[in-house]
Amino acid sequence: MNIAVIGAGTMGNGIAHTFAQSGYNVHLVDISQESLDRGMATITKNLDRMLAKERITATQKQETLKNITTFTNLNEGVKSANLVVEAATENVNLKLKIFKDLDEATGAGCILATNTSSISITQIAAVTERPEKVIGMHFMNPVPIMKLVEIIRGYNTSDETTKKIMDLSEKLGKVPVEVNDYPGFVANRILMPMINEAVETLYNGVAGVYEIDTVMKLGMAHPMGPLQLADFIGLDVCLSILEVMHDGFKNPKYAPCPLLVNMVRAGKFGVKSGEGFYDYSESRKAEKVAQMFA
């Protein structure tokens, strides 16, 4: 089975890594060679961490890397694919354009999946001529480690497509959970209001960053506090998801906190920008990523 992954960023390279480690032939596609090089460097580093922990062998590392081919041309990268997983930026207009292009560039039997964390699968499928073969595969970050995959059915997604993707996810060693297509799905419909309320709590001066996260970790047995988790996800991503939910439900409870909006406007996105609710030096970023693979 041939897999194409669109986007070599955090999620895309993690998805490519996961499929390749499971023995699939993977085409990793991005618009620039620089992005592809960064993505492959990340995959190599993460494999090295797994090798150091004796979770894989040196042979498995080399086979995983051998299974991945990079492309800057979309048509070439996806023409032989049986499944395409799109993992581009969480922007609805960009995703709609990508899916229009994928619909034209892939064979009629190819399943088109999106890793979106909030955008309507039904809306994405509507720009294609194969809505029954469009589905959501929402992986969790870091993809090689986290077990959950939300499998989101659009309004027209067929039972056959859903079963194939559920079965494939299990072959990757994941735990797929089928959900229906409503803003935020399950994971973010519950998670993002919690993160937003934590930001509101900080904004209202109830407690500080450390104190809010400590209450949730020690009092609610969360492995990571909501503000630290927001930094790890990306504050810009959190804001985007909340905006999709606020627009989709027309309910003020999903309105992003003004503090979150201002932080994103100021370029404070969390770990990836070096500053969010916490400060992250380059060494601390590397340390935190390493801890996720420990």
Side-chain angles (χ1 to χ4, degrees):
M1 187 174 189
N2 296 321
I3 312 293
V5 178
I6 310 302
T10 300
M11 297 305 295
N13 71 61
I15 293 167
H17 172 165
T18 300
F19 274 106
Q21 191 173 321
S22 295
Y24 292 96
N25 178 45
V26 178
H27 288 184
L28 182 58
V29 183
D30 207 303
I31 58 174
S32 76
Q33 189 60 48
E34 182 182 2
S35 296
L36 290 167
D37 291 343
R38 282 198 305 267
M40 290 304 299
T42 298
I43 292 170
T44 302
K45 287 178 185 176
N46 290 337
L47 287 168
D48 284 339
R49 292 188 182 103
M50 298 173 82
L51 180 61
K53 295 290 183 180
E54 299 184 346
R55 293 179 177 174
I56 60 171
T57 65
T59 299
Q60 287 173 314
K61 173 193 167 183
Q62 293 305 317
E63 288 297 322
T64 298
L65 292 172
K66 190 186 299 183
N67 286 338
I68 304 173
T69 308
T70 61
F71 294 83
T72 55
N73 183 288
L74 180 74
N75 289 348
E76 289 182 8
V78 305
K79 65 182 178 182
S80 63
N82 305 111
L83 167 67
V84 178
V85 183
E86 172 272 321
T89 303
E90 195 74 349
N91 177 289
V92 64
N93 291 326
L94 175 62
K95 290 186 186 294
L96 295 180
K97 182 183 184 306
I98 289 172
F99 271 77
K100 284 180 182 178
D101 293 341
L102 290 175
D103 195 40
E104 295 174 0
T106 56
C110 180
I111 294 173
L112 305 180
T114 174
N115 183 59
T116 183
S117 55
S118 61
I119 296 169
S120 169
I121 307 304
T122 304
Q123 182 181 8
I124 291 172
V127 302
T128 76
E129 298 296 325
R130 64 184 89 182
E132 75 285 355
K133 293 185 181 296
V134 178
I135 195 166
M137 289 186 80
H138 180 206
F139 290 87
M140 304 293 125
N141 185 28
V143 181
I145 302 299
M146 300 293 278
K147 290 290 188 181
L148 175 67
V149 186
E150 270 190 309
I151 307 299
I152 307 105
R153 295 185 66 141
Y155 188 82
N156 291 304
T157 305
S158 70
D159 291 341
E160 180 185 7
T161 296
T162 303
K163 185 178 187 308
K164 283 182 179 179
I165 297 304
M166 293 284 284
D167 291 346
L168 177 61
S169 298
E170 290 180 351
K171 290 176 182 176
L172 296 176
K174 303 299 185 185
V175 178
V177 176
E178 181 182 336
V179 306
N180 290 318
D181 186 22
Y182 292 95
F185 315 133
V186 171
N188 283 319
R189 184 168 179 171
I190 295 171
L191 174 63
M192 288 302 154
M194 183 190 75
I195 286 176
N196 199 44
E197 194 62 32
V199 181
E200 285 278 1
T201 303
L202 177 65
Y203 180 58
N204 293 332
V206 178
V209 171
Y210 172 80
E211 288 76 14
I212 291 168
D213 278 355
T214 299
V215 166
M216 296 305 292
K217 286 191 287 186
L218 300 186
M220 313 304 165
H222 290 196
M224 186 182 294
L227 299 177
Q228 184 184 10
L229 179 57
D231 276 354
F232 187 74
I233 294 169
L235 303 192
D236 55 331
V237 175
C238 293
L239 177 59
S240 175
I241 294 169
L242 283 164
E243 288 174 337
V244 168
M245 293 170 66
H246 187 219
D247 180 64
F249 288 116
K250 304 294 191 280
N251 189 323
K253 76 177 182 179
Y254 299 114
C257 176
L259 175 58
L260 178 62
V261 174
N262 277 342
M263 291 180 72
V264 172
R265 285 174 177 169
K268 297 183 179 182
F269 301 150
V271 174
K272 63 186 173 186
S273 70
E275 185 178 2
F277 293 107
Y278 296 86
D279 289 329
Y280 303 89
S281 65
E282 286 300 315
S283 61
R284 280 182 59 79
K285 278 202 289 186
E287 176 187 340
K288 285 186 176 296
V289 172
Q291 286 172 355
M292 297 302 295
F293 286 83

